[in-house]
Amino acid sequence: MNWITNYVRPRINSIFSRREVPENLWRKCDECGTMLFHRELSDNLNVCNNCGHHMHITPRDRFLALFDGGIFTEVAVPEPLADPLKFRDQKRYPDRMKAAQKTTSEKEAMLVAAGEIGRTPIVAAAQDFSFMAGSMGMYVGNAIIAAAEEAVKLKRPLVLFSAAGGARMQEGILSLMQMPRTTVAVQMLKEAGLPYIVVLTHPTTGGVTASYAMLGDVHISEPNALICFAGPRVIEQTIREKLPEGFQRAEYLLDHGMLDRVTPRTEMREELIKITRMLLGLPPQIVGDLPAPDKSEQAANDANGAADAPTSGT
């Protein structure tokens, strides 16, 4: 009986039991509800194939799609004080940081990298909204300054992808001080005559919008991104009026002159290549190279061309 219970029955159950499909193979679109296969979604840069809704994408995945061959070099960022205010709400600030680092596998809310797009050398910085809502703390301020200094040192344009819920409350006034610090960093680029391009992604709000996110030479946005200082709900409660449809969305801001372009994520790389080369005064990018001709074939072609050339008589 023990042999049947302990061996035969589990063996039969393992043979005939249904295999469960892993949950991470499919993802539901937040906008239209379509179930999307994870590989197709990843290949389309986390943009829904059905409705075009732009889902969250990490800075690392964004850089892999942006830089030539997915090759880039991370730029070191100075480490700030870990917990300057000894802040505690429902959790201690260091505990929140450890949880965010474990969830995102990143050190902080911004990644800075250097590489080439369409053979155009650039420095890029991107915020990660999944890391404590991409909040702007001292590390983010240090990251933007490090990106600007690297761009000035290498004489490259800076492309910044913003995504934030505002300043980091756990750092208090120190987080608000990043607004003037990052403004000075942007001024360094302007004095060096280097382009500063901002790509605003969903959402970009609070003090980020009031500082480095709106100081670019060119402002591009992904479709339907929320871009504001105070959110629509706060404004409606303050003025007690209904706001227009699509208020503070990318398309609305484009129509009212606050943005230069609204570009889908799948077309963003080509757009950035064109704009950076234009601002640097470079010719259009080389899309592909023809292989170098074989020397023996080239010599034979030159000989044939010389034989076929007309001669002048006297």
Side-chain angles (χ1 to χ4, degrees):
M1 189 67 180
N2 290 336
W3 178 75
I4 295 175
T5 303
N6 297 334
Y7 180 78
V8 176
R9 185 174 295 172
R11 183 67 174 169
I12 293 173
N13 290 338
S14 65
I15 293 173
F16 292 100
S17 62
R18 294 179 58 187
R19 295 182 179 179
E20 296 183 359
V21 178
E23 295 180 357
N24 59 354
L25 286 182
W26 298 87
R27 182 173 173 183
K28 186 177 181 180
C29 176
D30 303 328
E31 189 70 20
C32 66
T34 303
M35 295 301 293
L36 305 166
F37 188 54
H38 71 108
R39 289 181 183 173
E40 293 180 357
L41 184 62
S42 177
D43 292 341
N44 206 39
L45 303 181
N46 284 13
V47 178
C48 177
N49 296 323
N50 184 53
C51 68
H53 175 63
H54 284 54
M55 304 180 191
H56 171 261
I57 186 172
T58 65
R60 199 168 294 276
D61 288 341
R62 189 185 291 276
F63 286 168
L64 287 173
L66 176 69
F67 288 106
D68 295 347
I71 300 172
F72 59 88
T73 303
E74 291 188 42
V75 176
V77 177
E79 293 283 349
L81 294 175
D83 187 10
L85 304 181
K86 306 300 178 184
F87 192 92
R88 182 188 181 97
D89 45 24
Q90 294 177 346
K91 291 183 180 179
R92 294 171 59 248
Y93 181 33
D95 294 339
R96 289 193 180 276
M97 286 290 294
K98 290 178 182 177
Q101 290 169 348
K102 183 178 180 180
T103 302
T104 62
S105 301
E106 294 291 349
K107 184 188 300 183
E108 250 282 0
M110 180 165 275
L111 182 66
V112 183
E116 294 185 349
I117 56 171
R119 298 189 180 179
T120 310
I122 68 162
V123 175
Q127 284 180 275
D128 188 355
F129 190 78
S130 61
F131 193 106
M132 296 185 69
S135 50
M136 176 182 62
M138 291 186 293
Y139 185 95
V140 171
N142 288 350
I144 295 174
I145 293 172
E149 290 176 343
E150 186 75 5
V152 171
K153 182 179 73 173
L154 300 176
K155 294 181 173 57
R156 299 182 179 185
L158 174 60
V159 179
L160 186 140
F161 297 85
S162 65
R168 185 169 296 177
M169 59 173 289
Q170 288 85 354
E171 296 184 10
I173 190 65
L174 297 173
S175 65
L176 296 179
M177 286 303 297
Q178 307 315 308
M179 296 170 65
R181 291 184 75 218
T182 54
T183 302
V184 172
V186 173
Q187 187 61 31
M188 290 168 47
L189 293 166
K190 296 186 182 297
E191 291 177 357
L194 297 170
Y196 173 49
I197 302 169
V198 181
V199 180
L200 300 107
T201 68
H202 177 77
T204 299
T205 63
V208 171
T209 312
S211 54
Y212 58 86
M214 297 304 293
L215 295 176
D217 299 306
V218 178
H219 294 97
I220 311 172
S221 175
E222 293 183 342
N224 202 39
L226 177 65
I227 303 165
C228 60
F229 181 73
R233 180 173 54 83
V234 175
I235 296 175
E236 283 187 345
Q237 292 175 350
T238 303
I239 65 177
R240 301 181 186 279
E241 291 185 12
K242 186 68 177 175
L243 297 173
E245 185 69 24
F247 183 70
Q248 294 181 319
R249 295 289 175 169
E251 291 76 10
Y252 183 93
L253 299 181
L254 178 65
D255 293 339
H256 291 76
M258 290 191 66
L259 295 176
D260 298 300
R261 301 293 293 269
V262 174
T263 304
R265 186 180 297 160
T266 52
E267 302 173 11
M268 189 66 71
R269 169 181 154 83
E270 298 302 320
E271 185 89 343
L272 290 173
I273 292 172
K274 291 177 183 177
I275 291 175
T276 52
R277 295 186 72 85
M278 180 180 66
L279 292 177
L280 292 171
L282 299 175
Q285 66 163 323
I286 300 173
V287 178
D289 287 333
L290 294 174
D294 184 73
K295 292 184 178 180
S296 58
E297 291 183 3
Q298 186 176 11
N301 291 335
D302 292 342
N304 293 335
D308 295 337
T311 57
S312 57
T314 53

